[in-house]
Amino acid sequence: MHITFNAFSFARNKLKEQGIPCVNVAREIDEGTSAQDFIDELELSKKYVEAVFINGTVMPKDTVLHEGDRIALLPPGTPGSYRLILGIKEMGER
Amino acid sequence: MSDKIYRVNMKELNYRIEDVPEEWMGLGGRGLTSTVIAAEVDPECHPLGPNNKMVFAPGLLSGTIAANSGRNSLGIKSPLTGGIKESNVGGTIAGIMAKLGVKALIIEDIPEDDSTFYHIHVTKEHVTIEPCPELVGKENFEVLDAMLERYDKKVAVMTIGTPGEQRMMISNISVKDPKGKLRSHGRGATGAVMGSKKIKVITVDAEKYKETHLADPEKFKSANKVFTKALQENPISGEGLPAFGTNVLVNIINEAGGLPARNFRYGNSENAEAICGETMADNIKARGGSTTHGCHAGCVIQCSQTYNDEEGNYLASGFEYEMIWAFGANFGISDLDLIAKIDNLMDNIGVDAIETGVTFGVAAEGGLLEFEDGETVYKILSEDIPQGTPLGKIIGSGAGNVGKILGVVRVPVVKNQSIPAYEPRAIKGQGITYVTTPMGADHTAGYAVATNILNSGGYIDPLKKEGQVELSRNLQIASAAIDSTGMCIFVAFPALDDPACLPALIDMINARFGINLTGEDVTSLGARILKTEHAFNLKAGLTAADDRIPEFMKYEPLPPHNVVWDFTNEEIDAFWDF
């Protein structure tokens, strides 16, 4: 199945260095893949992913992805109270 | 020698240097400016008339070696909102005033002869107030150069451009930063109040000051060490902000569906990729700018930057998320370099990035110009506004007034002040801050995260209203307290991860003054400041009916989450139950 994939800030730089497209790109993944499985496939450590947006909402990393989902990987470093009020800290720890 | 209050009267064109009243001793920054405004300014006064005052006050820790303590507060009654205003700025002014022993600079009344503008120069012993006809009609960088030529290069400078002279609602007061660029006492038409008092420029002597006195230097030093370490080792303040600046938020807020686009019609922008922090950082790397720049001495976060064009020529510094959002996502300019040129132009003439950007969005909605047309924006800002043409006066009146003039319904303001870069329908906690803060729509009113918020517990869905009022209240109390310390509100970021951060900050305040504040005392201070400001607004004639979101947000679902603003009045008003 297909998802749309984005990576931000340090994760984007890291993936770009490896030649992995990560700005609004379609990716094929297996059925039953969770966000964390997907992060593991990309070999990104916690240093590069604090939280995951799925379809515009920060979700737990063990959330299973579905056909057509939009996923964005967010590294540590979100300023303001937004790390709190978007649920980045809370969901990032789940 | 103890700190003093410097009081300037613009009608008499004289000054007094006074002892600090006992009840103001423990206050600084916003705590002091809001207390003085509430005590001395008639809430019903016309903000541009003789009875309004300007109160400049460095924070409690300004002038010390404490990291990130160089923020200055300005208090006024705002001509934009009709309520109290505290505007917070970096630059060199806070440190210099604190070292000189200026607890607050209070400016009263207006000159009887309004045929010229004045230059106020503050030294340790004297204040001079002299006409400066040669500076009238000049913009900020030219005024800054004239002051640097006349005084020591370190002199603190606060100036208004032609929009401030014309008392426009989008005008700021511009403040010299350590690299000779400008920062802004923004929001709320601060420049218009300075213009109404016929003051073109204020300078503060930087040659004869002494280091601030510390009651317990050893304790101060060790607390500062803990504090600085917390800032530098945190992924936000230590890595994210220095690498991408606040503009790292474009992609994040866009992904969350909360990036207001096309005058608040959408929660996503097609320009996000073109204007985001990652693109900006790539450009800086390729063109030889710098991703790090501190707005004040002692800043270890360095969230600001120097942004060059393709030829490597300077375009802008202090190129912040809210500015880039206002012109990129909300107005629709996809060319980051053009946005940078507009940013530098706005620094030069001294207008507020958020108020001006949102005003252009409303003006485009009303058919005065086209969305995306950055060249016309540049022309209006560089010609019509300085010359005071009818078009310049209209744009200069701010988003709320332009909405009325053009018959626009979609006018994103609270208390007549433009809503910044975070959509209240999709980020509801932020929306509660916009409607309840005494400042008018202001994201920084609920920016600081304090430890008590962590204890309130649990995930709060940004798209739903549950838990948001309490969250916003805690954020606003923390922000009011931090704004009184002279600290940049970004210092509170590590508090989410590092329990040593905020206690170290309180230890520094205690070591500076030889007192024993606790965390609870600081929270109480924040709560007291908010209540003082709210009481002023009520006396000024603002009511609960002013604590409301623009109506269109209640019936227009915001894509992509298709959410509306759904708080009842009772839910909003419960904010003040503390």
Side-chain angles (χ1 to χ4, degrees):
Chain A
M1 63 181 190
H2 289 88
I3 58 168
T4 302
F5 165 54
N6 266 292
F8 300 150
S9 73
F10 296 111
R12 176 179 292 190
N13 288 353
K14 174 83 175 162
L15 292 171
K16 274 188 175 174
E17 277 169 22
Q18 298 170 345
I20 300 172
C22 56
V23 180
N24 269 321
V25 289
R27 292 272 304 203
E28 191 161 336
I29 57 169
D30 294 335
E31 292 280 340
T33 300
S34 72
Q36 186 61 55
D37 295 335
F38 180 67
I39 294 164
D40 292 342
E41 263 179 44
L42 294 168
E43 297 180 354
L44 288 173
S45 66
K46 276 189 176 174
K47 187 182 162 194
Y48 293 100
V49 186
E50 179 175 27
V52 181
F53 278 102
I54 300 174
N55 301 322
T57 303
V58 179
M59 300 289 283
K61 292 192 196 105
D62 60 3
T63 304
V64 173
L65 302 174
H66 297 94
E67 171 67 30
D69 276 354
R70 177 181 168 88
I71 177 170
L73 306 183
L74 178 60
T78 303
S81 46
Y82 308 104
R83 182 162 168 250
L84 187 76
I85 65 182
L86 293 175
I88 294 165
K89 178 177 168 61
E90 175 79 16
M91 289 302 181
E93 287 168 359
R94 288 193 188 177
Chain B
M1 203 170 128
S2 57
D3 293 349
K4 300 284 182 186
I5 302 289
Y6 288 58
R7 194 181 287 272
V8 173
N9 186 296
M10 290 305 295
K11 183 181 179 186
E12 307 295 335
L13 299 176
N14 63 14
Y15 69 97
R16 297 197 306 271
I17 299 177
E18 304 169 347
D19 290 335
V20 180
E22 181 73 29
E23 62 270 28
W24 295 354
M25 286 283 192
L27 298 171
R30 177 174 170 183
L32 183 55
T33 62
S34 289
T35 299
V36 176
I37 293 291
E40 297 193 358
V41 173
D42 176 0
E44 294 182 354
C45 77
H46 194 294
L48 301 177
N51 293 316
N52 200 4
K53 297 188 183 186
M54 308 175 80
V55 183
F56 295 94
L60 290 168
L61 290 170
S62 299
T64 71
I65 57 158
N68 288 76
S69 62
R71 303 286 299 191
N72 200 57
S73 289
L74 163 64
I76 53 168
K77 176 178 174 178
S78 166
L80 185 71
T81 68
I84 199 166
K85 171 64 64 182
E86 185 264 353
S87 170
N88 198 279
V89 74
T92 61
I93 182 74
I96 289 171
M97 283 215 297
K99 286 178 181 174
L100 207 63
V102 182
K103 178 86 170 170
L105 171 64
I106 302 175
I107 300 174
E108 307 174 338
D109 222 321
I110 56 178
E112 285 176 340
D113 173 10
D114 67 356
S115 64
T116 191
F117 277 82
Y118 291 85
H119 167 196
I120 295 175
H121 183 63
V122 179
T123 66
K124 180 84 184 167
E125 298 84 14
H126 302 288
V127 178
T128 54
I129 308 154
E130 58 184 38
C132 57
E134 72 284 4
L135 296 177
V136 177
K138 307 292 186 199
E139 304 298 3
N140 287 324
F141 285 120
E142 196 172 340
V143 176
L144 185 59
D145 287 345
M147 294 302 109
L148 294 182
E149 195 166 306
R150 177 166 171 181
Y151 300 106
D152 176 88
K153 293 285 178 201
K154 285 184 181 170
V155 67
V157 182
M158 298 194 287
T159 168
I160 56 170
T162 53
E165 288 183 22
Q166 296 177 74
R167 302 176 304 285
M168 286 181 174
M169 292 299 104
I170 61 172
S171 62
N172 281 344
I173 297 170
S174 300
V175 178
K176 177 184 172 290
D177 83 5
K179 291 192 177 169
K181 300 299 180 189
L182 292 167
R183 315 297 301 186
S184 303
H185 266 307
R187 314 301 332 259
T190 58
V193 177
M194 188 151 145
S196 75
K197 298 195 177 303
K198 306 300 288 185
I199 300 166
K200 179 68 180 174
V201 60
I202 301 169
T203 47
V204 183
D205 174 57
E207 285 182 277
K208 291 178 186 163
Y209 60 64
K210 291 189 172 155
E211 294 303 311
T212 43
H213 172 75
L214 299 174
D216 187 342
E218 282 311 307
K219 185 178 167 188
F220 191 94
K221 204 172 154 190
S222 68
N224 187 42
K225 205 170 162 186
V226 173
F227 182 71
T228 307
K229 187 163 174 274
L231 293 184
Q232 288 178 324
E233 292 185 356
N234 185 268
I236 305 168
S237 50
E239 295 172 28
L241 281 169
F244 300 101
T246 55
N247 201 29
V248 73
L249 282 165
V250 165
N251 271 330
I252 299 169
I253 304 296
N254 187 55
E255 194 66 27
L259 188 73
R262 301 276 163 156
N263 191 34
F264 288 73
R265 280 172 190 252
Y266 312 106
N268 295 133
S269 170
E270 72 277 16
N271 288 344
E273 210 31 64
I275 62 172
C276 68
E278 291 86 341
T279 299
M280 185 170 89
D282 285 348
N283 288 353
I284 288 172
K285 196 174 170 189
R287 300 169 177 186
S290 169
T291 59
T292 56
H293 170 80
C295 80
H296 61 273
C299 171
V300 299
I301 298 177
Q302 305 269 313
C303 74
S304 199
Q305 58 293 108
T306 306
Y307 185 83
N308 295 340
D309 65 14
E310 283 180 3
E311 281 77 46
N313 301 312
Y314 174 87
L315 281 178
S317 66
F319 199 25
E320 306 295 339
Y321 164 67
E322 286 78 12
M323 152 70 200
I324 293 165
W325 156 77
F327 288 86
N330 196 53
F331 184 75
I333 301 171
S334 58
D335 179 352
L336 192 58
D337 292 1
L338 179 54
I339 300 173
K341 278 184 208 160
I342 292 170
D343 184 58
N344 196 47
L345 174 59
M346 292 201 303
D347 276 352
N348 192 31
I349 65 174
V351 293
D352 187 73
I354 296 169
E355 192 62 43
T356 307
V358 172
T359 300
F360 277 115
V362 173
E365 175 107 26
L368 203 58
L369 73 170
E370 298 290 325
F371 281 109
E372 303 178 20
D373 185 0
E375 298 298 339
T376 298
V377 165
Y378 195 89
K379 182 175 174 296
I380 291 171
L381 289 172
S382 58
E383 296 175 18
D384 291 280
I385 285 181
Q387 290 163 16
T389 68
L391 176 60
K393 296 278 189 190
I394 288 169
I395 293 294
S397 72
N401 293 324
V402 167
K404 284 180 184 160
I405 291 166
L406 300 177
V408 174
V409 174
R410 197 179 289 105
V411 182
V413 298
V414 177
K415 298 181 180 66
N416 202 39
Q417 180 168 286
S418 291
I419 295 178
Y422 315 85
E423 236 295 342
R425 284 166 284 188
I427 309 176
K428 289 203 158 68
Q430 185 71 68
I432 288 293
T433 297
Y434 292 153
V435 295
T436 54
T437 171
M439 301 297 148
D442 177 0
H443 61 294
T444 65
Y447 215 76
V449 179
T451 316
N452 64 330
I453 292 160
L454 300 177
N455 301 332
S456 60
Y459 168 68
I460 296 171
D461 185 338
L463 300 173
K464 299 207 167 92
K465 59 185 181 177
E466 286 72 25
Q468 304 290 4
V469 171
E470 188 187 0
L471 174 64
S472 170
R473 185 191 296 132
N474 286 331
L475 290 166
Q476 288 193 54
I477 288 171
S479 300
I482 297 275
D483 283 343
S484 302
T485 62
M487 287 283 165
C488 160
I489 42 176
F490 289 7
V491 303
F493 300 159
L496 270 177
D497 306 297
D498 186 345
C501 176
L502 291 184
L505 172 57
I506 296 167
D507 284 346
M508 283 194 288
I509 297 172
N510 288 336
R512 160 92 164 89
F513 296 102
I515 53 177
N516 287 297
L517 291 179
T518 63
E520 273 182 26
D521 293 333
V522 174
T523 306
S524 303
L525 171 68
R528 204 164 65 239
I529 294 165
L530 275 187
K531 288 193 168 181
T532 300
E533 293 166 345
H534 185 229
F536 181 93
N537 280 3
L538 294 178
K539 287 182 198 160
L542 296 172
T543 68
D546 295 293
D547 289 356
R548 302 291 179 252
I549 214 76
E551 189 204 9
F552 74 89
M553 293 185 176
K554 297 183 192 175
Y555 60 75
E556 280 190 0
L558 180 79
H561 293 298
N562 296 314
V563 277
V564 294
W565 179 260
D566 52 358
F567 289 90
T568 65
N569 292 347
E570 292 71 26
E571 286 165 342
I572 295 168
D573 298 343
F575 175 89
W576 291 106
D577 297 341
F578 65 96

